[in-house]
Amino acid sequence: MPAMTAVDADARAGAGTPGEAVGPLVRGVAVLRRLTEAGGTLSPSALERATGLARSTVDRITGTLGRMGYVRLDGRDVVLTPRVMELGNAYLAALRLPALLDARADALADELDESVSLAVADLDGIRFIHQATRRRALSVSFRIGDLLPAERTAPGALFATEWTEPDWTRWRERRAEDAQDASFPAVPPRAEPTNDSSSTSSKPSAPGSSPGSCADSFTERVERARRDGWAVDDQLIEPGLVAVSVPVRDPGTGRVACVASVVSHTSRHSAADLRTSLLPRLRTAVRAMETDLRTAPAPEPGPAPAGLATWTTASKHELGRDFVESLARGLTVLTAFGEGRSALPLTEVARATGLSRATARRALLTHEHLGLVTARPDRTFTLTPRVLDLGFPPLSRTTLPRLAEPHLRALADAVREPTALAVLTSDGKEIQYTAGAGTSRVLTVRIAVGTRLPATATSLGRVLLADSAAPLSPTLTEVRSQGYALVDEELESGLRSIAVPVRDRTGRTVAALNVSTHAARRTLRDVVADLLPALHATAARIQQDLHTASRFTHVPPS
């Protein structure tokens, strides 16, 4: 059996848990972590096996997480929802690095046509906080929040140049207990060394083999990184993957704040080639990043969450024992942090959440035990990168259609009419259907995902065209003014449809949502009176998920 990971040990109630820790919060975090490791979906019985919790406990926890909007039930499965990303968003906002540096990373990726990442240290691992990837058939699949072992990465060697002896001791103990890296689900298990002399790689033919088995061991790479100020990953994760990394230093302390990496594969660049072809431009980008950190104005604290304690109390009164109030309150403590609120004393956490000092204190102590919060010498608390364990990685690569699908199904079930989501094609002349949900009616609209139709003849297209900056026709001016488009039998006899916009965080229309019906079933007045309110409500729910998911990640519209 693989060794129990540190996360596993912390997540299981009763395994060295401090007396003041909140047991339901420990168990709830364990459920979120197991869902995250499984890619965002598990059945209740699988959660029962993965956590070691009783089925009744799993049901109460998932019911509470569902009430909070962090999970939903899809058939027999429990599925993470975009709203759980608000926990990781709190950490990333408090960190500030993604907001200050992601534009530089994205520009570098565009310039080099390679993937670029930003990573921070997480104990003896590295965790990604930003990814700018290329859309290729062969591309890097790491996600924001993924945790990698330091010794199998270029950023890890750079972070390790600042390790103390206790850090090295922790690393050696972890390597001894988990020789196959089973505690890092984002990376392939370590391969066994091979003596295949036909390999032409400059590295052994077993990427990621144990440090002692490679001439280029981790400690040697750390010393080289200390001397050179940069590091290379030559197929340490898996065959074909290469990267070059440079540290981005904090202007106040001079320590490594994060590491920027350019990632490629050996069909495009050899490890030796990275130094001459990519490293100079990466260094230039890092200097610009460090200037951005040095000149960034002090953050203005954003609004703290409000009414959380009142909401949890009301939910407890409504749902009774099926709602685990201590779990809900414990998780809301994490959302007290954010931009301008990176380090908070206990009193500020209590004030931001509306909880009593005693309740906030117990939640913070529990999160500290779980590795989600660190207590500082000045008696303030800060979030750690491990908060990203709570649902962020599997959702950081979501798309708008995937995000919208459960809402489309709920709308179709509610109005008993088919619904669809569409975007405008690049030439602005057609719409393309990207998601939809049908009904069981005999006479219904069935348009496959990927279908294209003339934009001007559809309600979806008119909503999208009405957001254009170009001079609008009287019809589109009316659509923009009233906030919806109603098309009556223009595309096909008997077909009526009504559509509303779906807007991103800036207020720009990125997609349109519609409901279609037959003229014999609903009059035009009925379409507006009965379907439009449901459309607006569904669009609002999709937008809420989109705004949460896209705060620090890119959510493609199709």
Side-chain angles (χ1 to χ4, degrees):
M1 282 181 63
M4 180 182 288
T5 70
V7 170
D8 289 332
D10 286 348
R12 292 180 185 274
T17 304
E20 290 188 275
V22 182
L25 180 55
V26 175
R27 293 186 281 273
V29 168
V31 167
L32 286 176
R33 281 174 163 161
R34 298 295 86 78
L35 280 168
T36 302
E37 292 168 2
T41 302
L42 277 178
S43 67
S45 58
L47 275 171
E48 182 182 358
R49 292 191 298 271
T51 59
L53 300 173
R55 176 59 182 269
S56 60
T57 302
V58 169
D59 289 343
R60 292 182 66 214
I61 288 172
T62 55
T64 301
L65 295 174
R67 177 73 169 193
M68 299 180 75
Y70 290 172
V71 304
R72 61 180 171 84
L73 291 179
D74 188 353
R76 296 183 177 181
D77 290 331
V78 180
V79 182
L80 291 173
T81 70
R83 188 167 179 180
V84 76
M85 296 177 76
E86 70 181 16
L87 302 175
N89 284 345
Y91 163 73
L92 294 172
L95 184 67
R96 292 194 78 202
L97 292 177
L100 294 175
L101 305 182
D102 62 359
R104 297 282 187 189
D106 294 346
L108 182 62
D110 290 339
E111 177 185 340
L112 300 179
D113 194 26
E114 300 286 359
S115 296
V116 173
S117 66
L118 300 175
V120 295
D122 187 351
L123 298 180
D124 60 348
I126 69 126
R127 198 178 290 270
F128 294 112
I129 59 170
H130 182 71
Q131 288 279 3
T133 57
R134 304 292 87 190
R135 299 189 74 173
R136 296 195 183 101
L138 185 62
S139 62
V140 179
S141 62
F142 291 128
R143 308 159 300 182
I144 295 175
D146 275 339
L147 178 69
L148 276 62
E151 69 275 10
R152 291 179 67 177
T153 69
L158 292 164
F159 287 120
T161 62
E162 298 179 342
W163 282 3
T164 62
E165 187 53 39
D167 295 325
W168 282 104
T169 298
R170 178 175 55 237
W171 174 74
R172 294 186 188 99
E173 291 174 348
R174 189 261 297 166
R175 289 291 300 116
E177 294 174 0
D178 184 17
Q180 296 300 311
D181 291 338
S183 55
F184 296 90
V187 300
R190 287 180 178 272
E192 293 298 327
T194 177
N195 294 319
D196 182 5
S197 60
S198 64
S199 173
T200 59
S201 171
S202 61
K203 296 289 293 177
S205 56
S209 55
S210 63
S213 68
C214 298
D216 186 15
S217 69
F218 182 51
T219 53
E220 290 171 338
R221 288 193 294 113
V222 171
E223 289 307 311
R224 186 178 302 122
R226 192 192 313 276
R227 181 187 69 238
D228 296 340
W230 54 274
V232 167
D233 169 358
D234 186 1
Q235 307 180 78
L236 295 168
I237 295 293
E238 66 179 19
L241 184 66
V242 292
V244 60
S245 301
V246 173
V248 180
R249 298 194 176 275
D250 185 291
T253 65
R255 294 178 61 83
V256 179
C258 67
V259 171
S261 304
V262 179
V263 186
S264 187
H265 50 82
T266 50
S267 62
R268 294 173 62 84
H269 294 280
S270 68
D273 180 46
L274 294 177
R275 177 174 181 176
T276 56
S277 60
L278 301 181
L279 180 59
R281 187 61 193 92
L282 175 58
R283 279 177 154 166
T284 299
V286 165
R287 285 194 293 270
M289 291 178 183
E290 291 175 339
T291 299
D292 291 341
L293 293 183
R294 187 169 54 253
T295 58
E300 291 290 334
L308 297 176
T310 302
W311 178 86
T312 58
T313 300
S315 296
K316 182 65 174 179
H317 286 325
E318 180 181 344
L319 301 178
R321 69 179 306 275
D322 291 332
F323 183 78
V324 187
E325 188 175 17
S326 56
L327 167 59
R329 289 188 164 186
L331 290 176
T332 63
V333 162
L334 299 177
T335 66
F337 298 83
E339 186 171 5
R341 304 195 308 276
S342 61
L344 296 177
L346 173 59
T347 53
E348 288 298 320
V349 173
R351 182 180 299 115
T353 56
L355 300 173
S356 69
R357 281 174 54 92
T359 300
R361 176 177 174 275
R362 288 192 65 200
L364 288 167
L365 289 175
T366 305
H367 288 314
E368 185 179 14
H369 164 66
L370 296 174
L372 303 173
V373 164
T374 295
R376 306 203 314 181
D378 62 357
R379 305 185 71 177
T380 63
F381 296 86
T382 62
L383 300 181
T384 74
R386 197 145 294 194
V387 174
L388 294 173
D389 271 340
L390 307 183
F392 212 92
L395 293 166
S396 68
R397 288 286 182 87
T398 193
T399 63
L400 181 56
R402 190 180 307 163
L403 181 153
E405 281 171 357
H407 300 292
L408 296 181
R409 291 198 300 269
L411 175 61
D413 290 343
V415 300
R416 298 197 64 221
E417 301 284 6
T419 69
L421 188 79
V423 297
L424 205 60
T425 57
S426 57
D427 61 9
K429 296 180 179 180
E430 295 180 310
I431 61 165
Q432 181 172 10
Y433 286 80
T434 58
T439 65
S440 58
R441 289 184 182 274
V442 175
L443 183 61
T444 189
V445 178
R446 291 187 176 90
I447 300 178
V449 169
T451 298
R452 294 189 175 196
L453 293 174
T456 56
T458 63
S459 60
L460 292 162
R462 290 181 185 177
V463 163
L464 293 165
L465 291 171
D467 194 54
S468 170
L472 301 179
S473 67
T475 298
L476 294 181
T477 299
E478 182 181 11
V479 170
R480 174 183 283 187
S481 174
Q482 64 189 14
Y484 69 90
L486 177 61
V487 171
D488 183 25
E489 302 188 74
E490 294 184 35
L491 184 65
E492 183 175 326
S493 296
L495 179 62
R496 286 175 176 160
S497 68
I498 186 169
V500 298
V502 175
R503 303 183 188 276
D504 65 13
R505 291 176 60 86
T506 68
R508 182 176 62 94
T509 297
V510 293
L513 169 70
N514 86 339
V515 172
S516 300
T517 188
H518 191 275
R521 285 205 294 268
R522 299 179 192 266
T523 66
L524 291 177
R525 184 185 299 273
D526 291 338
V527 169
V528 174
D530 299 341
L531 301 182
L532 184 59
L535 263 178
H536 278 312
T538 300
R541 285 189 283 271
I542 294 173
Q543 287 172 169
Q544 182 181 40
D545 282 352
L546 175 61
H547 297 174
T548 300
S550 63
R551 185 173 180 186
F552 293 104
T553 67
H554 173 60
V555 179
S558 60

